[in-house]
PDB file of all heavy atoms in Angstrom:
ATOM      1  N   TYR A  86     -96.226  52.236 -55.272  1.00 98.00           N
ATOM      2  CA  TYR A  86     -95.984  51.455 -54.057  1.00 98.00           C
ATOM      3  C   TYR A  86     -95.730  49.996 -54.409  1.00 98.00           C
ATOM      4  O   TYR A  86     -94.845  49.353 -53.842  1.00 98.00           O
ATOM      5  CB  TYR A  86     -97.152  51.568 -53.082  1.00 98.00           C
ATOM      6  CG  TYR A  86     -97.326  52.924 -52.440  1.00 98.00           C
ATOM      7  CD1 TYR A  86     -98.380  53.162 -51.570  1.00 98.00           C
ATOM      8  CD2 TYR A  86     -96.465  53.987 -52.695  1.00 98.00           C
ATOM      9  CE1 TYR A  86     -98.561  54.395 -50.957  1.00 98.00           C
ATOM     10  CE2 TYR A  86     -96.644  55.229 -52.095  1.00 98.00           C
ATOM     11  CZ  TYR A  86     -97.692  55.424 -51.230  1.00 98.00           C
ATOM     12  OH  TYR A  86     -97.867  56.651 -50.636  1.00 98.00           O
ATOM     13  N   ALA A  87     -96.503  49.474 -55.337  1.00 98.00           N
ATOM     14  CA  ALA A  87     -96.284  48.093 -55.775  1.00 98.00           C
ATOM     15  C   ALA A  87     -94.900  47.952 -56.399  1.00 98.00           C
ATOM     16  O   ALA A  87     -94.172  46.993 -56.100  1.00 98.00           O
ATOM     17  CB  ALA A  87     -97.371  47.671 -56.764  1.00 98.00           C
ATOM     18  N   ALA A  88     -94.515  48.915 -57.227  1.00 98.00           N
ATOM     19  CA  ALA A  88     -93.198  48.864 -57.869  1.00 98.00           C
ATOM     20  C   ALA A  88     -92.082  48.928 -56.829  1.00 98.00           C
ATOM     21  O   ALA A  88     -91.068  48.220 -56.947  1.00 98.00           O
ATOM     22  CB  ALA A  88     -93.060  50.010 -58.873  1.00 98.00           C
ATOM     23  N   GLU A  89     -92.268  49.745 -55.812  1.00 98.00           N
ATOM     24  CA  GLU A  89     -91.262  49.859 -54.754  1.00 98.00           C
ATOM     25  C   GLU A  89     -91.109  48.533 -54.000  1.00 98.00           C
ATOM     26  O   GLU A  89     -89.994  48.047 -53.790  1.00 98.00           O
ATOM     27  CB  GLU A  89     -91.679  50.977 -53.798  1.00 98.00           C
ATOM     28  CG  GLU A  89     -90.677  51.324 -52.745  1.00 98.00           C
ATOM     29  CD  GLU A  89     -91.118  52.504 -51.889  1.00 98.00           C
ATOM     30  OE1 GLU A  89     -92.009  53.283 -52.294  1.00 98.00           O
ATOM     31  OE2 GLU A  89     -90.555  52.631 -50.786  1.00 98.00           O
ATOM     32  N   ILE A  90     -92.211  47.951 -53.600  1.00 98.00           N
ATOM     33  CA  ILE A  90     -92.174  46.706 -52.837  1.00 98.00           C
ATOM     34  C   ILE A  90     -91.668  45.549 -53.694  1.00 98.00           C
ATOM     35  O   ILE A  90     -90.754  44.812 -53.304  1.00 98.00           O
ATOM     36  CB  ILE A  90     -93.566  46.396 -52.250  1.00 98.00           C
ATOM     37  CG1 ILE A  90     -93.901  47.426 -51.163  1.00 98.00           C
ATOM     38  CG2 ILE A  90     -93.640  44.972 -51.705  1.00 98.00           C
ATOM     39  CD1 ILE A  90     -95.339  47.434 -50.734  1.00 98.00           C
ATOM     40  N   PHE A  91     -92.236  45.387 -54.877  1.00 98.00           N
ATOM     41  CA  PHE A  91     -91.831  44.276 -55.740  1.00 98.00           C
ATOM     42  C   PHE A  91     -90.392  44.458 -56.217  1.00 98.00           C
ATOM     43  O   PHE A  91     -89.657  43.486 -56.387  1.00 98.00           O
ATOM     44  CB  PHE A  91     -92.781  44.119 -56.915  1.00 98.00           C
ATOM     45  CG  PHE A  91     -94.203  43.763 -56.522  1.00 98.00           C
ATOM     46  CD1 PHE A  91     -95.242  43.960 -57.412  1.00 98.00           C
ATOM     47  CD2 PHE A  91     -94.516  43.257 -55.272  1.00 98.00           C
ATOM     48  CE1 PHE A  91     -96.555  43.640 -57.072  1.00 98.00           C
ATOM     49  CE2 PHE A  91     -95.820  42.932 -54.909  1.00 98.00           C
ATOM     50  CZ  PHE A  91     -96.841  43.129 -55.823  1.00 98.00           C
ATOM     51  N   GLY A  92     -89.979  45.715 -56.437  1.00 98.00           N
ATOM     52  CA  GLY A  92     -88.589  45.990 -56.825  1.00 98.00           C
ATOM     53  C   GLY A  92     -87.611  45.612 -55.727  1.00 98.00           C
ATOM     54  O   GLY A  92     -86.536  45.062 -55.991  1.00 98.00           O
ATOM     55  N   SER A  93     -87.960  45.920 -54.477  1.00 98.00           N
ATOM     56  CA  SER A  93     -87.106  45.540 -53.345  1.00 98.00           C
ATOM     57  C   SER A  93     -86.991  44.026 -53.240  1.00 98.00           C
ATOM     58  O   SER A  93     -85.915  43.491 -52.953  1.00 98.00           O
ATOM     59  CB  SER A  93     -87.664  46.106 -52.034  1.00 98.00           C
ATOM     60  OG  SER A  93     -87.589  47.505 -52.025  1.00 98.00           O
ATOM     61  N   LEU A  94     -88.090  43.332 -53.453  1.00 98.00           N
ATOM     62  CA  LEU A  94     -88.066  41.872 -53.411  1.00 98.00           C
ATOM     63  C   LEU A  94     -87.211  41.306 -54.552  1.00 98.00           C
ATOM     64  O   LEU A  94     -86.404  40.400 -54.339  1.00 98.00           O
ATOM     65  CB  LEU A  94     -89.480  41.317 -53.459  1.00 98.00           C
ATOM     66  CG  LEU A  94     -90.312  41.582 -52.200  1.00 98.00           C
ATOM     67  CD1 LEU A  94     -91.788  41.346 -52.462  1.00 98.00           C
ATOM     68  CD2 LEU A  94     -89.816  40.719 -51.043  1.00 98.00           C
ATOM     69  N   ALA A  95     -87.362  41.870 -55.741  1.00 98.00           N
ATOM     70  CA  ALA A  95     -86.569  41.414 -56.885  1.00 98.00           C
ATOM     71  C   ALA A  95     -85.076  41.637 -56.638  1.00 98.00           C
ATOM     72  O   ALA A  95     -84.253  40.785 -56.985  1.00 98.00           O
ATOM     73  CB  ALA A  95     -87.017  42.134 -58.159  1.00 98.00           C
ATOM     74  N   ALA A  96     -84.725  42.760 -56.015  1.00 98.00           N
ATOM     75  CA  ALA A  96     -83.324  43.052 -55.721  1.00 98.00           C
ATOM     76  C   ALA A  96     -82.728  42.031 -54.758  1.00 98.00           C
ATOM     77  O   ALA A  96     -81.518  41.795 -54.762  1.00 98.00           O
ATOM     78  CB  ALA A  96     -83.189  44.464 -55.140  1.00 98.00           C
ATOM     79  N   GLU A  97     -83.569  41.397 -53.969  1.00 98.00           N
ATOM     80  CA  GLU A  97     -83.133  40.352 -53.038  1.00 98.00           C
ATOM     81  C   GLU A  97     -83.249  38.955 -53.655  1.00 98.00           C
ATOM     82  O   GLU A  97     -83.015  37.955 -52.979  1.00 98.00           O
ATOM     83  CB  GLU A  97     -83.967  40.412 -51.752  1.00 98.00           C
ATOM     84  CG  GLU A  97     -83.729  41.642 -50.925  1.00 98.00           C
ATOM     85  CD  GLU A  97     -82.366  41.649 -50.244  1.00 98.00           C
ATOM     86  OE1 GLU A  97     -81.768  40.554 -50.044  1.00 98.00           O
ATOM     87  OE2 GLU A  97     -81.891  42.739 -49.912  1.00 98.00           O
ATOM     88  N   GLY A  98     -83.649  38.905 -54.930  1.00 98.00           N
ATOM     89  CA  GLY A  98     -83.763  37.627 -55.607  1.00 98.00           C
ATOM     90  C   GLY A  98     -85.031  36.853 -55.296  1.00 98.00           C
ATOM     91  O   GLY A  98     -85.087  35.650 -55.524  1.00 98.00           O
ATOM     92  N   VAL A  99     -86.041  37.553 -54.799  1.00 98.00           N
ATOM     93  CA  VAL A  99     -87.300  36.900 -54.442  1.00 98.00           C
ATOM     94  C   VAL A  99     -88.313  37.106 -55.564  1.00 98.00           C
ATOM     95  O   VAL A  99     -88.731  38.236 -55.822  1.00 98.00           O
ATOM     96  CB  VAL A  99     -87.863  37.457 -53.110  1.00 98.00           C
ATOM     97  CG1 VAL A  99     -89.219  36.827 -52.801  1.00 98.00           C
ATOM     98  CG2 VAL A  99     -86.880  37.233 -51.975  1.00 98.00           C
ATOM     99  N   PRO A 100     -88.723  36.038 -56.231  1.00 98.00           N
ATOM    100  CA  PRO A 100     -89.738  36.182 -57.276  1.00 98.00           C
ATOM    101  C   PRO A 100     -91.123  36.419 -56.671  1.00 98.00           C
ATOM    102  O   PRO A 100     -91.440  35.906 -55.594  1.00 98.00           O
ATOM    103  CB  PRO A 100     -89.696  34.848 -58.025  1.00 98.00           C
ATOM    104  CG  PRO A 100     -89.092  33.886 -57.069  1.00 98.00           C
ATOM    105  CD  PRO A 100     -88.230  34.670 -56.119  1.00 98.00           C
ATOM    106  N   VAL A 101     -91.916  37.208 -57.373  1.00 98.00           N
ATOM    107  CA  VAL A 101     -93.281  37.524 -56.935  1.00 98.00           C
ATOM    108  C   VAL A 101     -94.237  37.143 -58.051  1.00 98.00           C
ATOM    109  O   VAL A 101     -94.046  37.532 -59.203  1.00 98.00           O
ATOM    110  CB  VAL A 101     -93.443  39.030 -56.609  1.00 98.00           C
ATOM    111  CG1 VAL A 101     -94.888  39.348 -56.259  1.00 98.00           C
ATOM    112  CG2 VAL A 101     -92.509  39.441 -55.492  1.00 98.00           C
ATOM    113  N   ARG A 102     -95.265  36.366 -57.691  1.00 98.00           N
ATOM    114  CA  ARG A 102     -96.392  36.142 -58.602  1.00 98.00           C
ATOM    115  C   ARG A 102     -97.510  37.032 -58.102  1.00 98.00           C
ATOM    116  O   ARG A 102     -97.989  36.868 -56.977  1.00 98.00           O
ATOM    117  CB  ARG A 102     -96.842  34.675 -58.584  1.00 98.00           C
ATOM    118  CG  ARG A 102     -95.890  33.705 -59.243  1.00 98.00           C
ATOM    119  CD  ARG A 102     -95.842  33.794 -60.763  1.00 98.00           C
ATOM    120  NE  ARG A 102     -97.074  33.500 -61.443  1.00 98.00           N
ATOM    121  CZ  ARG A 102     -97.461  32.300 -61.850  1.00 98.00           C
ATOM    122  NH1 ARG A 102     -96.702  31.245 -61.625  1.00 98.00           N
ATOM    123  NH2 ARG A 102     -98.604  32.147 -62.477  1.00 98.00           N
ATOM    124  N   HIS A 103     -97.874  37.998 -58.904  1.00 98.00           N
ATOM    125  CA  HIS A 103     -98.860  39.015 -58.529  1.00 98.00           C
ATOM    126  C   HIS A 103    -100.194  38.669 -59.173  1.00 98.00           C
ATOM    127  O   HIS A 103    -100.343  38.711 -60.392  1.00 98.00           O
ATOM    128  CB  HIS A 103     -98.350  40.380 -59.008  1.00 98.00           C
ATOM    129  CG  HIS A 103     -99.223  41.519 -58.649  1.00 98.00           C
ATOM    130  ND1 HIS A 103     -99.101  42.742 -59.276  1.00 98.00           N
ATOM    131  CD2 HIS A 103    -100.210  41.685 -57.738  1.00 98.00           C
ATOM    132  CE1 HIS A 103     -99.982  43.587 -58.757  1.00 98.00           C
ATOM    133  NE2 HIS A 103    -100.659  42.958 -57.831  1.00 98.00           N
ATOM    134  N   PHE A 104    -101.165  38.346 -58.333  1.00 98.00           N
ATOM    135  CA  PHE A 104    -102.513  38.028 -58.810  1.00 98.00           C
ATOM    136  C   PHE A 104    -103.479  39.106 -58.350  1.00 98.00           C
ATOM    137  O   PHE A 104    -103.400  39.582 -57.212  1.00 98.00           O
ATOM    138  CB  PHE A 104    -102.989  36.680 -58.248  1.00 98.00           C
ATOM    139  CG  PHE A 104    -102.244  35.509 -58.797  1.00 98.00           C
ATOM    140  CD1 PHE A 104    -101.169  34.976 -58.104  1.00 98.00           C
ATOM    141  CD2 PHE A 104    -102.613  34.932 -60.007  1.00 98.00           C
ATOM    142  CE1 PHE A 104    -100.471  33.885 -58.601  1.00 98.00           C
ATOM    143  CE2 PHE A 104    -101.922  33.839 -60.509  1.00 98.00           C
ATOM    144  CZ  PHE A 104    -100.839  33.314 -59.810  1.00 98.00           C
ATOM    145  N   LEU A 105    -104.391  39.480 -59.217  1.00 98.00           N
ATOM    146  CA  LEU A 105    -105.477  40.383 -58.874  1.00 98.00           C
ATOM    147  C   LEU A 105    -106.747  39.565 -58.751  1.00 98.00           C
ATOM    148  O   LEU A 105    -107.200  38.959 -59.724  1.00 98.00           O
ATOM    149  CB  LEU A 105    -105.664  41.461 -59.943  1.00 98.00           C
ATOM    150  CG  LEU A 105    -106.869  42.388 -59.738  1.00 98.00           C
ATOM    151  CD1 LEU A 105    -106.695  43.231 -58.480  1.00 98.00           C
ATOM    152  CD2 LEU A 105    -107.090  43.255 -60.963  1.00 98.00           C
ATOM    153  N   LEU A 106    -107.298  39.527 -57.540  1.00 98.00           N
ATOM    154  CA  LEU A 106    -108.591  38.874 -57.348  1.00 98.00           C
ATOM    155  C   LEU A 106    -109.646  39.944 -57.592  1.00 98.00           C
ATOM    156  O   LEU A 106    -109.721  40.929 -56.865  1.00 98.00           O
ATOM    157  CB  LEU A 106    -108.703  38.293 -55.936  1.00 98.00           C
ATOM    158  CG  LEU A 106    -107.631  37.288 -55.536  1.00 98.00           C
ATOM    159  CD1 LEU A 106    -107.973  36.653 -54.191  1.00 98.00           C
ATOM    160  CD2 LEU A 106    -107.417  36.226 -56.592  1.00 98.00           C
ATOM    161  N   HIS A 107    -110.428  39.737 -58.614  1.00 97.00           N
ATOM    162  CA  HIS A 107    -111.427  40.727 -59.029  1.00 97.00           C
ATOM    163  C   HIS A 107    -112.833  40.161 -58.881  1.00 97.00           C
ATOM    164  O   HIS A 107    -113.074  38.991 -59.168  1.00 97.00           O
ATOM    165  CB  HIS A 107    -111.206  41.132 -60.491  1.00 97.00           C
ATOM    166  CG  HIS A 107    -112.341  41.940 -61.037  1.00 97.00           C
ATOM    167  ND1 HIS A 107    -112.526  43.254 -60.709  1.00 97.00           N
ATOM    168  CD2 HIS A 107    -113.370  41.591 -61.849  1.00 97.00           C
ATOM    169  CE1 HIS A 107    -113.621  43.700 -61.311  1.00 97.00           C
ATOM    170  NE2 HIS A 107    -114.159  42.717 -62.003  1.00 97.00           N
ATOM    171  N   ALA A 108    -113.739  41.021 -58.432  1.00 96.00           N
ATOM    172  CA  ALA A 108    -115.167  40.697 -58.438  1.00 96.00           C
ATOM    173  C   ALA A 108    -115.902  41.919 -58.984  1.00 96.00           C
ATOM    174  O   ALA A 108    -115.437  43.056 -58.835  1.00 96.00           O
ATOM    175  CB  ALA A 108    -115.666  40.355 -57.036  1.00 96.00           C
ATOM    176  N   ASP A 109    -117.027  41.677 -59.622  1.00 95.00           N
ATOM    177  CA  ASP A 109    -117.827  42.777 -60.158  1.00 95.00           C
ATOM    178  C   ASP A 109    -118.249  43.732 -59.042  1.00 95.00           C
ATOM    179  O   ASP A 109    -118.404  43.322 -57.888  1.00 95.00           O
ATOM    180  CB  ASP A 109    -119.075  42.235 -60.864  1.00 95.00           C
ATOM    181  CG  ASP A 109    -118.741  41.462 -62.125  1.00 95.00           C
ATOM    182  OD1 ASP A 109    -117.613  41.618 -62.653  1.00 95.00           O
ATOM    183  OD2 ASP A 109    -119.597  40.683 -62.576  1.00 95.00           O
TER     184      ASP A 109
END
Side-chain angles (χ1 to χ4, degrees):
Y86 291 178
E89 187 176 341
I90 291 167
F91 297 161
S93 293
L94 291 165
E97 292 289 337
V99 176
V101 176
R102 289 288 298 271
H103 182 197
F104 291 96
L105 175 65
L106 302 188
H107 169 75
D109 293 342

